[in-house]
Amino acid sequence: MTKNERFEKVYSQGTVNVMEIWIDKETGVNYVFHASGYSGGMSPLLGRDGKPVISPIVNK
């Protein structure tokens, strides 16, 4: 796996106010990315119980 293949964007919404969900394919952890104008940030996506959302890892 090369460096460019570790994360996969699975959801995207908006153009100026961007909201995206990315999955780390090595750990399965989901991250939410939000950008507005020149600022933005990324954080683990948390479920109702406060724990990170983890997707099943598919081996290729």
Side-chain angles (χ1 to χ4, degrees):
M1 180 179 301
T2 65
K3 290 182 184 179
N4 295 336
E5 295 177 352
R6 179 167 179 167
F7 293 92
E8 178 181 1
K9 181 170 46 171
V10 294
Y11 177 80
S12 183
Q13 169 183 315
T15 53
V16 177
N17 292 318
V18 177
M19 181 73 69
E20 297 175 342
I21 296 177
W22 290 79
I23 296 178
D24 181 339
K25 292 196 276 185
E26 286 187 17
T27 64
V29 175
N30 287 240
Y31 294 89
V32 62
F33 172 75
H34 184 266
S36 181
Y38 292 108
S39 63
M42 181 176 263
S43 176
L45 182 62
L46 303 178
R48 241 177 210 217
D49 57 0
K51 296 179 181 178
V53 175
I54 300 176
S55 297
I57 299 172
V58 178
N59 295 332
K60 293 183 179 182

